[in-house]
Amino acid sequence: MDKAKKKKQSSSPLAEKAAPVSTRKDFITLASVIAALSVMLLHTNNCFWWMNVGDPRWPFANVIETVFYFAAPLYFMISGATLINYRDRYSTGQYFAKRALKILPAFFAWNFIALLYQAFYKKTVVFANVTLLDFIKGAFSSQYLGIYWFLPAIICMYLVLPLFAAVEKDKRRKIFTYFVLVCLVCNKLIPLIITLFKWEFPWPFADQGIWLNYVVYAVLGYLISEYEAPAWMRWTVYGLALAAMILHGIVTLEDSRNIGSVSYLLKGYEKLPSYLYAAGVFLFVKEISDDVMKWKPLRFVVEKMAKYTFVTYLMHWYLMEMFLDTFHATWFTDLFGCAPIDVLVVGSNLWYRLLTPFLLYAVCMGVAWVLRKLPLVKYIVP
């Protein structure tokens, strides 16, 4: 009976054999750095949102946006890959305590910093008029800095993951795979088909709550990280990912031209192409991580960068905007004897978009290293 059971398990699409701990650690380390750099590449490519879609520079901005669109989903997938097994290390009470200590001080502190930034630097908010309730509402709605939408999203995901961690390990592969497939087909694929063909059909799974979007990424990340897929499945995932990326880029390009603004037909982390593309990238990083991390100089750099992925996300936007604002500053125009330079001119420059993220990352690492040496401040610099 045991032999038959083992034979049946070994023939399943995802083998029960998990990757070695050291290999999985390298994979997660590399994935986190790639995700962090990709976020910055998306943000320095912000002209994608500013620029008129008829501008000849916009199509290449769309290419950059499309290629690095996996960035935020990778963070959710990494969380699923690293946290669903938390019961192997500590209790659920300790899990919540650790997550709270990691995310809540950063959430409130950096939203307060964002409020100060908007009030005293950008002058878009009157600080004296902001009540405590206003601040809390603004923090959870990412009112003070749009990129902080990720913080309440990750909090939501942290609250849900213990439900999946409670599933017995020998049942997770089948249950999690079923969950992901049901969500992607019922909540993503069928509503997309209804939208594309403009059918009027009251599909009951079209809106299941935004929390589900992040949890699906997390569970998908766990499956990819924990189990080894056969070659045919890997190539199927890669094929679907490539098709999703190309379709996302082309449809966004053409539909945006048709409507005169950025199209959201396939754009959005809740849309099916985003899941397929992120899954392919995550799997690809897993497959190449061993070879990449064997090169000691690169391993050294990646491991150093990995210690600062979260804090670079929290602080890089301020540095990026301040850098762009210097081209308007009086001291800059006086120093170089030039007229103020339009932000769009600088922001749409290809070298700025592709190289600035690496400089930003280095500067953020340096600032974070200093802040982590300061009492109390270090608690908001994760």
Side-chain angles (χ1 to χ4, degrees):
M1 185 71 178
D2 290 340
K3 289 183 179 179
K5 186 177 179 180
K6 288 180 180 179
K7 184 177 180 181
K8 184 177 179 181
Q9 289 179 342
S10 64
S11 63
S12 62
L14 289 172
E16 291 293 338
K17 181 181 177 183
V21 174
S22 59
T23 300
R24 188 157 56 245
K25 183 180 178 181
D26 287 345
F27 154 48
I28 297 300
T29 300
L30 181 61
S32 65
V33 170
I34 290 173
L37 280 173
S38 297
V39 165
M40 292 191 185
L41 282 158
L42 287 177
H43 291 164
T44 56
N45 188 53
N46 206 30
C47 62
F48 169 83
W49 302 100
W50 306 341
M51 209 181 284
N52 188 298
V53 296
D55 191 298
R57 296 168 295 180
W58 189 82
F60 192 75
N62 180 51
V63 170
I64 296 175
E65 169 79 9
T66 303
V67 169
F68 293 101
Y69 204 67
F70 61 81
L74 241 63
Y75 277 122
F76 295 116
M77 297 174 86
I78 290 168
S79 294
T82 56
L83 293 178
I84 289 180
N85 278 333
Y86 76 82
R87 289 160 67 104
D88 293 345
R89 304 184 296 278
Y90 37 74
S91 68
T92 297
Q94 290 173 312
Y95 162 83
F96 281 119
K98 287 176 178 290
R99 293 303 99 201
L101 188 60
K102 180 179 177 63
I103 194 70
L104 292 182
F107 174 74
F108 287 109
W110 284 92
N111 270 289
F112 187 68
I113 290 169
L115 171 60
L116 296 177
Y117 178 75
Q118 295 297 340
F120 298 107
Y121 181 76
K122 305 296 284 187
K123 301 187 186 304
T124 60
V125 177
V126 179
F127 184 77
N129 293 342
V130 180
T131 66
L132 178 60
L133 182 59
D134 290 334
F135 169 69
I136 294 173
K137 288 181 178 178
F140 278 98
S141 62
S142 311
Q143 177 183 331
Y144 306 118
L145 194 62
I147 69 167
Y148 285 172
W149 68 267
F150 179 81
L151 298 176
I154 204 77
I155 291 172
C156 179
M157 192 194 65
Y158 286 161
L159 292 173
V160 175
L161 285 188
L163 298 176
F164 293 87
V167 177
E168 295 177 16
K169 283 194 173 183
D170 61 340
K171 297 178 181 178
R172 285 181 185 175
R173 178 181 55 79
K174 290 182 179 180
I175 292 176
F176 288 4
T177 301
Y178 173 76
F179 171 78
V180 169
L181 290 176
V182 167
C183 290
L184 293 186
V185 173
C186 294
N187 191 237
K188 310 300 174 186
L189 177 60
I190 295 178
L192 177 60
I193 292 172
I194 291 172
T195 300
L196 291 175
F197 288 95
K198 299 179 180 179
W199 293 340
E200 292 187 8
F201 187 84
W203 183 246
F205 296 100
D207 186 8
Q208 295 296 314
I210 198 168
W211 67 272
L212 186 65
N213 300 327
Y214 315 129
V215 173
V216 174
Y217 281 117
V219 176
L220 190 55
Y222 175 85
L223 287 171
I224 292 172
S225 172
E226 196 72 14
Y227 305 110
E228 298 300 322
W232 70 266
M233 182 172 284
R234 291 198 302 272
W235 287 107
T236 299
V237 172
Y238 293 150
L240 290 172
L242 182 61
M245 182 195 70
I246 294 172
L247 189 65
H248 174 200
I250 292 175
V251 169
T252 301
L253 177 66
E254 295 302 323
D255 197 47
S256 297
R257 286 172 171 171
N258 290 336
I259 65 177
S261 60
V262 175
S263 168
Y264 286 87
L265 188 59
L266 294 185
K267 182 168 293 299
Y269 297 129
E270 78 284 3
K271 301 292 177 63
L272 182 62
S274 181
Y275 290 91
L276 298 179
Y277 185 38
V281 172
F282 201 55
L283 180 59
F284 181 70
V285 174
K286 176 184 177 181
E287 294 300 312
I288 67 169
S289 60
D290 280 350
D291 292 330
V292 170
M293 298 296 276
K294 280 179 182 177
W295 191 33
K296 291 184 179 180
L298 185 57
R299 170 186 281 274
F300 176 81
V301 172
V302 169
E303 287 180 343
K304 291 294 183 184
M305 293 175 70
K307 297 177 181 179
Y308 296 90
T309 54
F310 190 22
V311 71
T312 54
Y313 160 78
L314 291 170
M315 69 169 60
H316 77 276
W317 187 268
Y318 306 106
L319 298 175
M320 183 183 75
E321 285 204 332
M322 290 176 183
F323 172 74
L324 290 174
D325 287 344
T326 60
F327 295 95
H328 285 282
T330 303
W331 69 264
F332 179 85
T333 56
D334 290 346
L335 180 64
F336 292 96
C338 63
I341 302 174
D342 192 284
V343 170
L344 183 58
V345 172
V346 181
S348 62
N349 182 278
L350 184 59
W351 292 112
Y352 163 80
R353 285 184 278 163
L354 296 181
L355 297 182
T356 304
F358 299 93
L359 177 61
L360 268 178
Y361 206 109
V363 173
C364 287
M365 286 177 65
V367 174
W369 183 85
V370 173
L371 293 178
R372 285 175 177 175
K373 302 293 182 182
L374 303 178
L376 297 180
V377 176
K378 63 183 179 181
Y379 294 108
I380 67 166
V381 188

